[in-house]
């Protein structure tokens, strides 16, 4: 299903099926992986499904309809599509609004990823040295934290990767950890609000300027912020430039022969830019001839929003960038409110 979202949304759909019976109707607002997952799950479980997509994502309509879903363009923006989805749910007692990332059932479904990884590691390496994942709204991260609790990996460092133009989770963590964050390592302007349920501050971005569209949540789930703050092991929040993510996508394609969307490629940057793992103490400079490689788990979530034209476009952007004498992997990145060169 191209994405980790299938894990959590399939669990959510099964609960809806139990609550409403065969008449259960899944309604989702998304132009990305949440819509793909919801439509795919509905097809597998023989459930009715309606997807509302924003105009900029109208090209996915035939792909979603191939699963038998009803697909409507819900407006110019995601918010307009979401409003249409809510109206549809309000008019149908059997309809359930499928959340993209903000629901405990999704998190529990996503946690299965860590249980699987724990069974696949070599017996000589019972725990990884770090886990790296992309963060948009924080649903995947919440699932990883829960999964780590289940398998006894509470102390394993987690690196949450975002881009500098789409970093609502990063800003939320800074708001809770730092009284006066460095404005030069903050990103787009935002408002900070107190979430009463989880008792944390949550940042709401005024705009998204990153090309990593699937990281494009304007605010994270407060539950993920709470989990990260309370976790015994570190959750390091890191922001890359779009160019760093583009280069990682190209490098991964050349190395592994797989296409991944820019959001996923953001999680792959530490695989190619050693500065990041060194900055959090996971990778050490070799000493006395030793060259022990750390065991790092990268969550390669793939994603459906990628094509060859994107890769060609990224290649051209990188060529123009490198003509200025710059290397994307030499650009500064942000780590927990600090600028790292």
């Amino acid at each position: 299903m191209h994405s980790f979202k299938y894990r959590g949304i399939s669990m959510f759909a099964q609960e809806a099926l139990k609550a409403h019976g065969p008449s259960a109707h899944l309604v989702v607002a998304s132009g990305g992986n949440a819509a793909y997952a919801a439509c795919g799950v509905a097809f597998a479980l023989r459930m009715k499904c309606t997807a509302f997509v924003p105009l900029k994502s109208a090209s996915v309509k035939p792909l979603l309809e191939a699963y038998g879903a009803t697909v409507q363009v819900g407006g110019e923006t995601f918010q307009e599509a979401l409003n249409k989805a809510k109206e549809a749910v309000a008019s149908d007692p059997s309809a359930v609004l499928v959340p993209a990332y903000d629901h405990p059932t999704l998190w529990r479904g996503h946690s299965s990823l860590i249980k699987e990884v724990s069974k696949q590691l070599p017996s000589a390496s019972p725990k990884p040295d770090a886990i790296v994942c992309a963060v948009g709204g924080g649903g995947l991260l919440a699932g990883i934290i829960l999964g780590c609790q289940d398998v006894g990996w509470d102390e394993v460092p987690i690196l949450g990767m975002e881009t500098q133009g789409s970093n609502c989770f990063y800003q939320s963590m800074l708001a809770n950890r730092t009284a006066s964050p460095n404005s030069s390592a903050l990103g787009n302007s935002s408002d900070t609000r107190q979430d009463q349920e989880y008792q944390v501050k949550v940042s709401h971005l005024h705009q998204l300027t990153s090309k990593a569209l699937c990281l494009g949540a304007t605010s994270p789930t407060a539950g993920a912020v709470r989990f990260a703050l309370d976790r015994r092991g570190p959750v390091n929040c890191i922001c890359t430039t779009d160019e760093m993510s583009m280069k990682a996508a190209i490098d991964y394609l050349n190395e592994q022969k797989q296409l991944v969307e820019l959001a996923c490629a953001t999680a792959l940057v530490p695989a190619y830019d050693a500065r990041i793992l060194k900055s959090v103490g996971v990778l050490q400079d070799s000493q006395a001839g030793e060259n022990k490689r750390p065991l790092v788990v990268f969550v390669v979530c793939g994603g459906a929003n990628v094509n060859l034209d994107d890769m060609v476009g990224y290649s051209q952007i990188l060529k123009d960038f490198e003509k200025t004498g710059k290397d994307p992997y030499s650009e500064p990145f942000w780590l927990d409110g600090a600028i790292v060169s």
Side-chain angles (χ1 to χ4, degrees), residues 5 27-35 51-57 72-86 97-102 208 213 216-219:
K5 286 186 182 290
V27 178
V28 61
S30 168
N33 295 309
F52 292 88
V53 301
L55 183 60
K56 67 179 181 180
S57 302
Q72 299 181 30
V73 176
E76 293 282 343
T77 65
F78 168 75
Q79 188 59 50
E80 291 176 357
L82 179 59
N83 291 340
K84 288 290 186 182
K86 289 179 178 178
L97 185 64
V98 179
Y101 58 86
D102 191 6
L208 299 167
L213 298 179
T218 54
S219 62

Side-chain angles (χ1 to χ4, degrees), residues 6 13 26 37-50 67 69:
Y6 188 75
L26 300 181
C39 293
V41 166
F43 178 80
L45 297 178
R46 299 182 179 181
M47 299 173 70
K48 181 180 179 181
C49 183
T50 301
Y67 286 115

Side-chain angles (χ1 to χ4, degrees), residues 51-308:
F52 292 88
V53 301
L55 183 60
K56 67 179 181 180
S57 302
S59 61
V60 306
K61 192 171 183 284
L63 301 176
L64 302 181
E65 288 173 336
Y67 286 115
T70 299
V71 185
Q72 299 181 30
V73 176
E76 293 282 343
T77 65
F78 168 75
Q79 188 59 50
E80 291 176 357
L82 179 59
N83 291 340
K84 288 290 186 182
K86 289 179 178 178
E87 290 174 9
V89 170
S91 65
D92 182 353
S94 295
V96 180
L97 185 64
V98 179
Y101 58 86
D102 191 6
H103 197 284
T105 299
L106 298 187
W107 310 336
R108 180 50 62 189
H110 300 337
S111 72
S112 63
L113 183 153
I114 296 300
K115 295 176 185 176
E116 291 179 21
V117 170
S118 70
K119 295 175 181 178
Q120 294 170 2
L121 291 184
S123 56
S125 304
K127 293 182 181 181
D129 294 299
I131 300 171
V132 186
C133 71
V135 182
L140 172 61
L141 176 62
I144 288 174
I145 292 174
L146 291 176
C148 285
Q149 291 175 359
D150 292 338
V151 301
W153 290 358
D154 269 342
E155 296 180 358
V156 173
I158 298 175
L159 280 65
M161 305 295 300
E162 298 169 82
T163 55
Q164 293 173 3
S166 181
N167 64 350
C168 63
F169 185 81
Y170 171 93
Q171 290 203 28
S172 297
M173 290 295 286
L174 284 183
N176 287 278
R177 287 172 166 171
T178 310
S180 301
N182 180 357
S183 59
S184 298
L186 194 56
N188 294 330
S189 62
S190 65
D191 294 324
T192 301
R193 306 167 195 171
Q194 182 73 17
D195 181 84
Q196 296 303 319
E197 180 180 359
Y198 289 99
Q199 290 298 301
V200 294
K201 296 175 182 177
V202 175
S203 295
H204 296 256
L205 302 184
H206 296 158
Q207 62 178 337
L208 299 167
T209 55
S210 173
K211 294 184 183 297
L213 298 179
C214 283
L215 294 181
T218 54
S219 62
T221 173
V225 177
R226 181 79 273 163
F227 291 172
L229 291 170
D230 291 346
R231 189 171 187 264
R232 185 161 68 245
V235 176
N236 295 115
C237 299
I238 299 163
C239 295
T240 69
T241 64
D242 276 5
E243 289 79 12
M244 294 167 77
S245 299
M246 290 177 190
K247 184 157 177 54
I250 297 295
D251 288 346
Y252 187 75
L253 172 60
N254 290 331
E255 180 183 274
Q256 300 295 330
K257 313 307 177 188
Q258 293 181 356
L259 290 174
V260 294
E261 64 188 31
L262 208 57
C264 171
T266 302
L268 291 170
V269 173
Y272 300 105
D273 186 346
R275 297 176 303 159
I276 294 176
L277 292 181
K278 287 181 179 179
S279 69
V280 296
V282 172
L283 182 64
Q284 306 290 338
D285 290 322
S286 2
Q287 296 178 352
E290 295 182 2
N291 190 23
K292 179 186 175 184
R293 297 175 62 184
L295 178 61
V296 180
V297 173
F298 290 88
V299 180
V300 186
C301 55
N305 294 317
V306 64
N307 54 55
L308 289 175

